[in-house]
Amino acid sequence: MSTPSDNLLDREVAGREWEGLRDLALRSNPQLNQELIERAYWRAWEVHRDQKRLSGEPYFSHVLAVARTCAEMNLGSDAIAAALLHDSIEDSPVTAEALAKEFNPTVSLLVDGVSKISGLRFESREKAQAENFRKLLLHMSRDVRILLVKLADRLHNISTLEPMRPEKQKRIARETMDIYAPLANRLGMGRIKWQLEDHAFKYLDPSAYGRVASMVGMQREAREEFIVTMRDRLQESMNKNGIDCAVQGRAKHLHSIHRKMRSQNLREGEVFDLLAFRIITATVEDCYHALGVIHSLFTPIPNKFKDYIATPKRNGYQSLHTALVGAEGRTIEVQIRTQKMHEIAEYGVASHWRYKEEDKASPTASGDAERELDFLRTFIQDLEEGEWSEDPSEFMEELKVSLFQEGIFAFTPRGDLHILPVGATPVDFAYSIHTGVGDRCIGARVDSKMVPLRRPLTSGEVVEIVTRNDARPSRDWLSFVKTSKAQSRIRKSIREQESEQSESLGRELLEREFKRNRQSMPDEAALKLAAEAFGMDSVDRLVQGVGRGSVSALQVFHRVHPPEDKKSGIIESAQKLTQLATSLGGRRQKGVRVEGHGNMLIHFAGCCRPVPGDRIVGVITRGRGVSIHRQDCVNIVGDRIAEERRMRVDWDAGEEEKFLVSIQIHGDDRKNLLADITGQISKSDVGIQGGSFRREEKDLSALVQVTIEIRDLKQLEKIIRDVRKVSGVRQVERV
Ligand code: MN
């Protein structure tokens, strides 16, 4: 950057700088709107006049540097103007509305987008970072140039980190390495990517950076000599074969050398080999032609050839890659591509605007841009549809993972291309087709053969997903899927399945509990009240809680039917018994009304055999309902029956109701006594259920016991009176 000068505040110096920027911009695109950029230039100059950076440099030098990067990237007039103004909203009373009026709506949109991202403040740094990126990505969906200006901004900031505190340097470098560089890579912007990486590398691992830098520096002379020799040989043979091209030689970037040394365990001396050559041709045919020529010239290293022209990288990158044993037995890497592929490799998405501004009607140009932006579109779509985690640290993790991933290509049987991260499985593929396909996936045929769902796909495979309508995602899939979309969908589906399961289990447990307590399942309103009592906002929550075991079904039951005092409990169980008996089809005995509790199972005690007219009392028994005794029955007098088991009962017998009662008759032991007694009873139209006769030897008397069916006490008394009239009868009494 050629503007590190206080003089920039001088109008004349600033004027010369303007000419520099203008020339740079026009060099890459002569059709720029020079007038617009110039106005933006001077507006920014005024806005930042009094501001200085931490280094003491005029602030304007920063926006100028960002604008130069945007001009190099060929982002077009609006973006260059926006780059100049990118800090104006934050640092001055300038508003987006004013910018729209003064310049145009696009400039305003771009500046506003970049400002919003950096202007937000949050309680925690992590949250702020995640939130900023979320915003950045969402704004990017309005215009991807917002992100490109932001990248240029970041590039200048990280190249001027020196005056900052070390922690801040490290933090910005880490963020650059983790997010911005991969993002630039994903956008196909190779040049910005390696610049960002090399700057970040310096702060993240200063000692490794120092080693690599001095290594490269020490060998510079020999290396440059070698590069020139090799380049000339390559160019010469290309010319001989009639291939119109330019050959470039270069040392690899510091960070990529470092990465290569680490990943391939290279020692310092071997780094010399890390030289790369580039052959830029006019046509695609020339690329393959050039490849043939160099392969016949030098020995190709096996397995190093890659054809990214036939199958471009996910970010749109195209090139032929090969490695050769070059002159002096040194390994060299060669990339072969057309000029246009080269621009896309260097500037990626940004190269789109060159074609856009030059030739608005060109369908090819916009078609290419479409493909390049494809990744962004799904990325942003997922973001907008909430496929990304709300949790800041998870979000950043997902972002990092998805940015770092290199792609593989797989096809549907119909030939639709799906680009997935390396290691992606048929499940990822299924979710990439459609959420519904992923959710119902049960198997996959890859190149017509069934494969396990966890088997990673490789580029070029044709994948057919087998689905079943009632299939559901399995938790197991989480252990092998690679895309964040599949992950979040599977998690979501498992959560849904779990709540469904706990809901149906909860409902079953509740129904069982209410049934066990002889109660019907309460209605929604009653359950809602119960749910509220447990601090839950819905019946579903309550039912799920029961299913998960956080609330017991009995607790819910007691909430709906609060346990009353002891007596109610006893009554309740008697009532339940009644219901049970009824439901079993049992005939309930009638004739008595239990005070306050209709519909109770009753029976008449065998010991005292009460009949209507007797003073009676109910005794709640264990398991047989209410037993009706006469109040004077010996079995219940005194404290033999606890007070809480006694119930007030009243006769409620109809005419047709019959009661069994036994009477005992003491009389002379004479012939026909039993017959006379039964005859007398029969006159009153009373049924006899049975009888017994016993002779008392000691006083020659007879003891007769008869069980009769009578209506009430009055009828019984009449019978007793009647029987007393029978000859020889001495005494009649009720048993
Ligand atoms: Mn800035």
Side-chain angles (χ1 to χ4, degrees):
M1 241 38 67
S2 58
T3 57
S5 153
D6 283 344
N7 299 339
L8 205 46
L9 298 179
D10 182 294
R11 193 172 266 275
E12 232 174 274
V13 176
R16 279 200 297 279
E17 282 301 331
W18 156 244
E19 285 165 19
L21 173 65
R22 182 196 59 198
D23 294 348
L24 175 72
L26 291 179
R27 222 175 7 253
S28 30
N29 186 354
Q31 290 167 18
L32 287 176
N33 183 346
Q34 198 183 313
E35 181 271 339
L36 179 84
I37 303 173
E38 188 168 9
R39 273 197 294 128
Y41 182 92
W42 290 110
R43 189 79 174 92
W45 185 75
E46 270 163 32
V47 165
H48 299 297
R49 256 193 111 135
D50 302 327
Q51 295 166 350
K52 292 211 162 170
R53 305 193 84 207
L54 212 53
S55 62
E57 279 184 278
Y59 198 90
F60 184 65
S61 67
H62 166 66
V63 297
L64 179 54
V66 176
R68 291 181 68 98
T69 305
C70 291
E72 275 171 28
M73 285 196 283
N74 211 346
L75 289 189
S77 324
D78 291 337
I80 297 170
L84 288 162
L85 295 162
H86 83 269
D87 281 329
S88 65
I89 291 187
E90 270 175 79
D91 297 343
S92 76
V94 174
T95 64
E97 294 72 40
L99 288 178
K101 258 190 219 140
E102 193 175 339
F103 299 94
N104 64 47
T106 307
V107 171
S108 166
L109 173 87
L110 297 178
V111 174
D112 192 39
V114 176
S115 312
K116 279 213 175 96
I117 300 155
S118 31
L120 298 163
R121 292 288 175 270
F122 295 91
E123 61 265 37
S124 85
R125 175 160 291 154
E126 195 181 42
K127 192 169 176 202
Q129 194 192 31
E131 210 40 57
N132 277 339
F133 277 107
R134 200 188 291 277
K135 282 260 151 59
L136 175 74
L137 295 167
L138 289 174
H139 279 294
M140 191 166 77
S141 67
R142 295 158 70 200
D143 195 316
V144 75
R145 283 173 293 180
I146 292 172
L147 175 61
L148 303 180
V149 174
K150 187 69 195 171
L151 283 173
D153 182 36
R154 171 54 56 115
L155 178 61
H156 187 249
N157 282 336
I158 197 162
S159 62
T160 53
L161 273 187
E162 222 49 74
M164 304 231 170
R165 281 175 294 114
E167 318 90 84
K168 198 166 180 189
Q169 291 175 340
K170 270 227 155 64
R171 180 171 60 76
I172 292 176
R174 173 51 57 203
E175 191 184 75
T176 303
M177 191 65 101
D178 285 350
I179 308 288
Y180 285 101
L183 203 46
N185 182 44
R186 285 299 297 271
L187 296 171
M189 307 170 71
R191 182 182 284 263
I192 280 216
K193 179 213 164 206
W194 70 253
Q195 288 177 342
L196 289 171
E197 276 181 353
D198 275 4
H199 285 300
F201 177 35
K202 185 167 149 191
Y203 295 102
L204 289 176
D205 193 346
S207 61
Y209 178 87
R211 274 199 310 276
V212 175
S214 71
M215 215 158 62
V216 170
M218 273 176 349
Q219 298 162 338
R220 176 162 292 156
E221 220 172 283
R223 191 183 64 236
E224 278 171 2
E225 207 182 293
F226 178 79
I227 288 175
V228 170
T229 316
M230 260 312 279
R231 194 190 59 204
D232 290 350
R233 275 189 73 180
L234 285 170
Q235 185 74 64
E236 202 184 311
S237 44
M238 292 297 139
N239 294 347
K240 246 192 267 171
N241 284 278
I243 300 168
D244 179 17
C245 70
V247 179
Q248 303 171 346
R250 63 186 172 98
K252 292 180 82 79
H253 310 294
L254 297 184
H255 186 250
S256 61
I257 291 172
H258 174 63
R259 200 158 44 197
K260 203 147 203 166
M261 282 175 73
R262 279 232 311 238
S263 67
Q264 301 183 6
N265 264 325
L266 296 178
R267 285 188 308 276
E268 287 195 13
E270 297 166 306
V271 176
F272 186 76
D273 289 338
L274 293 169
L275 295 170
F277 291 84
R278 204 173 272 150
I279 301 174
I280 314 276
T281 67
T283 67
V284 174
E285 292 75 52
D286 280 349
C287 290
Y288 290 98
H289 192 181
L291 180 76
V293 171
I294 58 168
H295 275 186
S296 64
L297 208 60
F298 300 102
T299 313
I301 295 168
N303 300 324
K304 287 285 184 182
F305 171 67
K306 288 202 182 77
D307 186 349
Y308 293 119
I309 291 180
T311 27
K313 284 195 189 182
R314 197 140 69 125
N315 59 16
Y317 176 90
Q318 288 185 294
S319 257
L320 299 177
H321 283 194
T322 187
L324 312 158
V325 182
E328 301 168 37
R330 287 184 177 135
T331 307
I332 58 166
E333 294 177 5
V334 181
Q335 299 167 341
I336 307 169
R337 58 204 187 204
T338 64
Q339 177 62 31
K340 189 168 168 198
M341 290 173 192
H342 180 58
E343 274 163 28
I344 290 170
E346 296 272 290
Y347 299 117
V349 161
S351 61
H352 164 53
W353 277 274
R354 152 168 303 189
Y355 297 96
K356 201 178 175 186
E357 227 159 286
E358 272 174 5
D359 180 7
K360 284 188 180 20
S362 164
T364 352
S366 69
D368 281 352
E370 285 300 295
R371 203 186 51 219
E372 287 157 28
L373 290 170
D374 217 41
F375 128 77
L376 282 176
R377 208 174 299 112
T378 43
F379 200 74
I380 289 159
Q381 222 171 19
D382 286 355
L383 196 67
E384 281 172 338
E385 285 170 6
E387 300 282 352
W388 290 63
S389 178
E390 291 291 327
D391 179 78
S393 57
E394 270 181 37
F395 173 83
M396 291 310 283
E397 214 39 58
E398 286 171 1
L399 182 61
K400 277 184 219 167
V401 168
S402 76
L403 287 175
F404 268 121
Q405 288 164 346
E406 287 293 325
I408 57 137
F409 293 75
F411 301 89
T412 66
R414 276 198 347 225
D416 294 336
L417 173 69
H418 286 263
I419 304 167
L420 296 164
V422 170
T425 61
V427 175
D428 293 293
F429 189 85
Y431 276 104
S432 158
I433 296 173
H434 191 269
T435 305
V437 177
D439 282 347
R440 283 188 278 283
C441 160
I442 54 162
R445 261 187 287 276
V446 170
D447 293 336
S448 307
K449 274 194 227 91
M450 287 301 290
V451 299
L453 285 176
R454 58 168 63 240
R455 201 211 77 169
L457 298 172
T458 53
S459 274
E461 285 178 331
V462 175
V463 185
E464 186 187 344
I465 298 298
V466 184
T467 59
R468 201 181 60 214
N469 270 343
D470 59 346
R472 307 291 292 269
S474 143
R475 178 182 289 281
D476 186 44
W477 294 357
L478 286 173
S479 66
F480 57 76
V481 294
K482 287 287 178 294
T483 52
S484 55
K485 176 165 188 170
Q487 256 164 18
S488 60
R489 276 292 168 178
I490 294 165
R491 277 201 209 102
K492 194 171 165 194
S493 172
I494 288 172
R495 273 198 303 275
E496 283 166 7
Q497 282 179 59
E498 280 173 352
S499 9
E500 275 171 34
Q501 278 164 4
S502 30
E503 190 163 345
S504 68
L505 178 61
R507 206 157 272 283
E508 199 186 313
L509 287 172
L510 281 175
E511 274 164 10
R512 221 185 278 166
E513 185 64 35
F514 279 85
K515 202 168 173 186
R516 201 169 67 79
N517 290 292
R518 327 271 176 234
Q519 293 290 330
S520 53
M521 192 65 177
D523 59 11
E524 286 293 296
L527 282 176
K528 175 97 170 109
L529 284 174
E532 279 160 9
F534 288 106
M536 294 169 176
D537 56 7
S538 74
V539 174
D540 286 353
R541 277 279 191 78
L542 177 71
V543 174
Q544 285 167 20
V546 172
R548 276 195 304 273
S550 59
V551 179
S552 81
L554 185 64
Q555 283 175 303
V556 177
F557 176 80
H558 280 153
R559 188 57 65 175
V560 178
H561 298 284
E564 290 162 24
D565 56 30
K566 229 171 166 184
K567 180 159 187 165
S568 332
I570 293 166
I571 291 170
E572 202 171 277
S573 60
Q575 281 173 328
K576 282 168 206 154
L577 186 75
T578 307
Q579 284 176 354
L580 178 69
T582 314
S583 72
L584 291 174
R587 246 186 78 243
R588 288 191 310 110
Q589 207 158 347
K590 294 181 194 156
V592 163
R593 191 175 58 244
V594 180
E595 179 88 31
H597 303 279
N599 211 22
M600 293 275 269
L601 182 66
I602 57 159
H603 73 277
F604 294 96
C607 49
C608 57
R609 294 225 157 117
V611 297
D614 281 327
R615 299 205 302 151
I616 47 173
V617 68
V619 171
I620 302 172
T621 64
R622 291 177 213 279
R624 290 194 304 141
V626 180
S627 179
I628 309 298
H629 291 260
R630 278 154 52 188
Q631 277 185 6
D632 55 0
C633 173
V634 291
N635 288 326
I636 63 157
V637 290
D639 56 3
R640 297 187 66 163
I641 300 294
E643 189 49 42
E644 70 255 17
R645 304 194 75 85
R646 289 173 182 268
M647 310 268 316
R648 201 181 140 195
V649 291
D650 292 300
W651 289 109
D652 186 29
E655 285 288 306
E656 69 293 343
E657 227 101 41
K658 301 289 185 210
F659 298 88
L660 286 179
V661 69
S662 296
I663 50 173
Q664 193 171 271
I665 302 122
H666 193 218
D668 299 334
D669 181 16
R670 69 163 174 91
K671 201 181 168 191
N672 289 334
L673 178 66
L674 186 58
D676 291 346
I677 290 170
T678 55
Q680 184 69 3
I681 292 171
S682 298
K683 278 186 207 160
S684 306
D685 196 26
V686 164
I688 297 171
Q689 283 280 314
S692 64
F693 181 87
R694 198 173 81 227
R695 183 173 287 120
E696 298 279 353
E697 294 297 344
K698 55 174 182 173
D699 62 355
L700 298 174
S701 66
L703 204 58
V704 176
Q705 190 163 332
V706 187
T707 302
I708 52 175
E709 280 181 320
I710 54 132
R711 210 165 44 239
D712 56 22
L713 188 59
K714 223 167 124 195
Q715 192 179 29
L716 176 62
E717 282 166 356
K718 182 178 179 289
I719 299 282
I720 290 173
R721 280 196 305 272
D722 289 345
V723 173
R724 279 196 185 127
K725 292 174 191 156
V726 173
S727 150
V729 167
R730 300 178 205 165
Q731 196 188 349
V732 181
E733 59 181 1
R734 188 173 169 189
V735 179

